[in-house]
Amino acid sequence: MDDDAFPRSIDERERRAWFGLVSTITLLPAALESQLQRESGVSLYEFRVMAALLMQPDHTLQLKDLASVTDGSLSRLSHVVTRLGRRGWVRRYSERTGRATQARLTDRGRQKVVETAPGHIAEVRRLVFDVLSAEQVGALEEITGRINTAIGAQSGSSRTS
Amino acid sequence: MDDDAFPRSIDERERRAWFGLVSTITLLPAALESQLQRESGVSLYEFRVMAALLMQPDHTLQLKDLASVTDGSLSRLSHVVTRLGRRGWVRRYSERTGRATQARLTDRGRQKVVETAPGHIAEVRRLVFDVLSAEQVGALEEITGRINTAIGAQSGSSRTS
């Protein structure tokens, strides 16, 4: 009898990699969330939404594209846009009746991202890039690209944060 | 003026790796959660707690150690143990008054993990190991190990799932 939740079909090497990865996908979001909430009062997803808008030429994106580049469902994104709207950072509008809904970063929203980014980036650097070699950074890009494709993520040069 | 939430201090290569990683830590937990809920009616964290107990010699662990190996806070773990207790899968007890609280997997809990594991493992294989080379699996173990250490994860051979 094998008292093991990972019998067969995953070998020892994969098992060790899996335990590492499952810890990272649990601990890293929590650590990033914690820094952002503590220092800037925003969630990781709220920050990603605003950062994605900031990187657009006119700080504007259709809601469905914004959901896609932030890896969120349209309903999650819509909820967060409403919340960011109440804080005066994002404005939701349609060009004309019947056109797709857009979200635009306001000037105050732009200022909020710019103020928030340095602390977030410092945490990303401390937890990820300071501890990896250049070769590992390359491997990480390739590995996460393959996993994200398998999950069915949208990909391409329009990805933001 | 640089309309960019990632100015300086993160180079282009790190930036691409970061966009990949932040998508993975968003999408992978959601995908795993979805399979587990849909096919077995348990959360990823509930599964990890029960799998961790299953791998112990007597299916028993102190709550604080169980929290550590599952990357959860003691309060989150305690809450989940209560919920699993209501479903008859885990029993919480103390050896004697004043002793540390333990959690033990019941026979029904053991059966639940054994029934749940194959579908979960198939999803892990599909989304991760089927798309990575052996070399990338090795790199993934090393990379996640370094990130987890930077975050301050407990580590060691007692890690479970």
Side-chain angles (χ1 to χ4, degrees):
Chain A
M1 198 188 74
D2 187 10
D3 262 1
D4 188 331
F6 289 92
R8 298 172 307 277
S9 82
I10 294 241
D11 70 28
E12 190 48 39
R13 211 172 160 184
E14 290 169 335
R15 182 192 179 103
R16 290 197 309 268
W18 176 245
F19 290 165
L21 182 58
V22 80
S23 287
T24 298
I25 66 175
T26 304
L27 296 168
L28 188 55
L32 296 172
E33 192 80 39
S34 169
Q35 180 277 324
L36 281 168
Q37 290 287 6
R38 189 176 62 244
E39 296 184 16
S40 301
V42 297
S43 73
L44 177 58
Y45 190 65
E46 289 169 339
F47 177 75
R48 290 185 67 195
V49 167
M50 291 197 286
L53 289 174
L54 184 66
M55 287 179 220
Q56 298 305 310
D58 53 0
H59 299 172
T60 302
L61 213 49
Q62 285 196 15
L63 288 200
K64 70 177 173 52
D65 296 328
L66 189 52
S68 163
V69 298
T70 57
D71 307 304
S73 65
L74 189 54
S75 77
R76 180 185 190 192
L77 186 266
S78 182
H79 182 73
V80 163
V81 164
T82 299
R83 209 160 57 213
L84 295 173
R86 278 201 293 267
R87 301 173 83 173
W89 295 332
V90 169
R91 205 161 63 81
R92 182 199 299 251
Y93 70 99
S94 306
E95 289 274 335
R96 297 182 215 153
T97 310
R99 290 286 297 269
T101 307
Q102 318 256 334
R104 175 179 290 166
L105 196 66
T106 65
D107 287 348
R108 281 174 57 200
R110 183 183 175 287
Q111 194 184 338
K112 181 64 185 176
V113 191
V114 169
E115 286 168 4
T116 300
H120 173 63
I121 293 165
E123 190 73 344
V124 168
R125 173 156 289 297
R126 184 176 77 82
L127 300 178
V128 179
F129 296 110
D130 282 355
V131 299
L132 300 183
S133 68
E135 194 181 0
Q136 288 175 323
V137 171
L140 181 60
E141 182 192 353
E142 179 68 27
I143 290 167
T144 55
R146 288 182 178 214
I147 294 171
N148 296 339
T149 299
I151 299 175
Q154 303 288 334
S155 63
S157 59
S158 69
R159 293 202 69 76
T160 52
S161 165
Chain B
M1 198 188 74
D2 186 10
D3 263 1
D4 188 330
F6 290 92
R8 298 173 308 277
S9 81
I10 294 241
D11 70 30
E12 190 47 40
R13 211 174 161 182
E14 290 170 335
R15 183 193 179 103
R16 289 198 310 267
W18 176 245
F19 290 166
L21 181 57
V22 80
S23 287
T24 298
I25 67 176
T26 305
L27 296 168
L28 188 55
L32 297 172
E33 192 80 38
S34 169
Q35 180 277 323
L36 280 168
Q37 290 287 3
R38 189 177 62 245
E39 296 183 15
S40 302
V42 297
S43 73
L44 177 59
Y45 190 66
E46 289 169 340
F47 177 75
R48 290 185 68 195
V49 166
M50 291 196 287
L53 288 175
L54 184 65
M55 287 179 221
Q56 299 304 312
D58 53 1
H59 299 173
T60 302
L61 213 49
Q62 286 195 15
L63 287 199
K64 70 177 173 54
D65 296 329
L66 188 53
S68 163
V69 297
T70 56
D71 306 305
S73 65
L74 190 53
S75 77
R76 180 185 190 191
L77 186 265
S78 183
H79 182 72
V80 163
V81 164
T82 299
R83 208 160 58 213
L84 294 173
R86 278 201 293 266
R87 301 173 83 174
W89 295 331
V90 168
R91 205 161 61 83
R92 183 200 298 253
Y93 70 98
S94 306
E95 289 275 337
R96 296 183 217 153
T97 311
R99 290 287 297 270
T101 306
Q102 319 257 332
R104 175 181 290 166
L105 196 67
T106 65
D107 287 346
R108 281 174 57 198
R110 182 183 176 286
Q111 194 184 338
K112 181 66 185 174
V113 191
V114 169
E115 285 167 5
T116 301
H120 173 62
I121 293 167
E123 189 74 343
V124 167
R125 172 156 290 295
R126 185 176 77 82
L127 299 178
V128 180
F129 297 110
D130 282 354
V131 298
L132 300 184
S133 67
E135 194 180 2
Q136 287 174 324
V137 171
L140 181 60
E141 180 191 354
E142 179 68 29
I143 290 166
T144 55
R146 287 181 179 213
I147 294 171
N148 297 339
T149 299
I151 299 174
Q154 303 288 333
S155 63
S157 60
S158 69
R159 293 201 68 76
T160 52
S161 164

